[in-house]
Amino acid sequence: MSAALIDGRAAADALRRQLAIHADFFRASTGRPAGLATVLVGEDPASAVYVRSKIKATEEAGMHGVHRPLPADTSEAELLALVVELNRDPGIDGILVQLPLPAQIDAARVIDSIDPGKDVDGFHVVNSGRLAIGDPTALVPCTPLGCLHLLKEQLGSLSGAEAVVIGRSNIVGKPMAALLLGESCTVTIAHSRTRDLAEVCRRADILVAAVGRPEMVRGDWIKPGATVIDVGINRVPGAEPGKSRIVGDVAFAEAREMAGAITPVPGGVGPMTIAMLLRNTLVAAHRRAGLALPKGL
Ligand code: NAP
Ligand code: L37
């Protein structure tokens, strides 16, 4: 059996078309576009590509995107001063400080300085706390939110499913597990100290891999018919010398023979991350403007 492909690019395009309608409504109601500010410190090439895609997608959806690049030797105080400026800016609804940050900057302190109502990455403790207690007003990290959207589109109700999340980062693994628990899955979180990871994965009706190890999850780790979400983005040497390509955390060709449905890399979770950033920005904008959230947002 060959698994159904979960097309994240198509799902993200559909969502972005919907969001553009909500963005027009917001602009018509308030007389201003919803605004997203992205902050990138230094020149990490992957981060630069992602931030550029995020600004482009923001503008394409009819929102206002402001990019604030800072040099690699920026001090923590300078970055905190920029966050304060963006917190105060009435035209900015969402602030995204792209991670990783250079070593001289404490990322936790920067994230804590962002107004929780503008924290469209959902990394502030106020938002992670709200997610943990099941408060629907939480701004939820974009990547797990995108994974959940794909899972619900594929499966409908997730209630009662055995879900295994590999990875326990604050950015992906932990919020993913919280969302799946919120959907009434039975959730296991696996990590680098998990004993017999393959056997743990074989229980999963839903398997989410967020590890950062190329093709670590093998075909025989997958329960026949399971739904597999591959979050991993790993750059590996390509077929031609000097070229690279990206692969996920799942050995795709093997897994496809076992799974019921699977996300590819690229074209799976990555595009959904960007669509959900636009969604979070619009949600933050409506709340800040005192507008009710339109249905479907
Ligand atoms: P991270 O902070 O490095 O966390 C990786 C997690 O994997 C950790 O919890 C770690 O366990 C666990 N792990 C490492 N080796 C393992 C092993 N051999 N067996 C089991 N677990 C292991 O990474 P992240 O930020 O969560 O990102 C994970 C992956 O997703 C990366 O490839 C990243 O590029 C990708 N990503 C993609 C998107 C997207 O939009 N598609 C967005 C964000 C991240 P310990 O906690 O025990 O160390
Ligand atoms: N929200 N996301 C947020 N904040 C951060 O601080 N680091 C970080 C973050 N991560 C992030 O933006 N990840 C990400 C990963 C992949 C894509 C977008 C964002 C993406 O678009 N991937 C495409 C193409 C990948 C490529 O060719 O390099 C894909 O199809 O997977």
Side-chain angles (χ1 to χ4, degrees):
M1 187 186 76
S2 193
L5 263 196
I6 302 174
D7 187 342
R9 218 167 264 149
D13 284 350
L15 189 58
R16 284 167 57 175
R17 278 193 292 275
Q18 284 302 311
L19 293 173
I21 296 169
H22 294 309
D24 282 349
F25 169 81
F26 180 85
R27 190 200 280 258
S29 309
T30 63
R32 68 167 183 94
L36 171 69
T38 56
V39 180
L40 176 62
V41 185
E43 268 136 48
D44 178 73
S47 290
V49 170
Y50 299 150
V51 169
R52 219 174 304 127
S53 311
K54 290 171 183 182
I55 290 292
K56 183 163 167 266
T58 304
E59 299 278 352
E60 280 172 8
M63 300 192 257
H64 178 48
V66 184
H67 182 46
R68 300 292 298 263
L70 291 173
D73 63 356
T74 299
S75 69
E76 187 176 298
E78 286 167 325
L79 178 54
L80 289 172
L82 174 57
V83 172
V84 168
E85 179 196 327
L86 296 170
N87 281 343
R88 287 189 185 135
D89 186 334
I92 295 295
D93 300 289
I95 302 170
L96 179 147
V97 179
Q98 184 76 13
L99 304 181
L101 289 169
Q104 74 274 15
I105 298 176
D106 180 346
R109 225 176 280 156
V110 174
I111 292 165
D112 272 1
S113 73
I114 297 171
D115 175 347
K118 295 190 178 187
D119 169 38
V120 286
D121 257 348
F123 296 163
H124 193 286
V125 285
V126 165
N127 284 312
S128 43
R130 283 181 180 148
L131 173 62
I133 67 168
D135 175 347
T137 70
L139 285 167
V140 176
C142 306
T143 299
L145 206 53
C147 294
L148 186 70
H149 183 94
L150 294 177
L151 281 167
K152 283 181 155 177
E153 246 187 16
Q154 189 65 35
L155 296 172
S157 168
L158 312 185
S159 180
E162 285 281 348
V164 174
V165 179
I166 322 175
R168 55 173 162 179
S169 72
N170 292 331
I171 292 178
V172 188
K174 276 185 211 155
M176 185 75 248
L179 287 173
L180 291 166
L181 190 58
E183 298 296 324
S184 299
C185 295
T186 302
V187 183
T188 302
I189 307 175
H191 47 76
S192 67
R193 306 299 173 91
T194 296
R195 260 185 276 132
D196 204 351
L197 182 60
E199 202 49 44
V200 171
C201 291
R202 284 185 198 112
R203 296 205 290 260
D205 303 312
I206 294 169
L207 181 62
V208 181
V211 186
R213 294 188 176 255
E215 302 179 324
M216 185 187 79
V217 175
R218 310 307 307 225
D220 67 355
W221 297 19
I222 291 164
K223 177 174 171 176
T227 304
V228 178
I229 305 289
D230 189 351
V231 182
I233 303 268
N234 306 290
R235 204 157 277 285
V236 297
E240 290 168 53
K243 293 242 163 117
S244 69
R245 63 191 176 102
I246 63 166
V247 298
D249 291 341
V250 178
F252 181 80
E254 291 174 19
R256 199 172 179 188
E257 295 308 311
M258 299 294 282
I262 185 167
T263 60
V265 177
V269 174
M272 290 302 296
T273 294
I274 293 177
M276 286 304 177
L277 174 65
L278 306 182
R279 184 241 169 218
N280 279 353
T281 302
L282 274 173
V283 168
H286 279 80
R287 293 223 183 94
R288 292 187 60 253
L291 292 172
L293 286 191
K295 238 184 117 183
L297 189 63

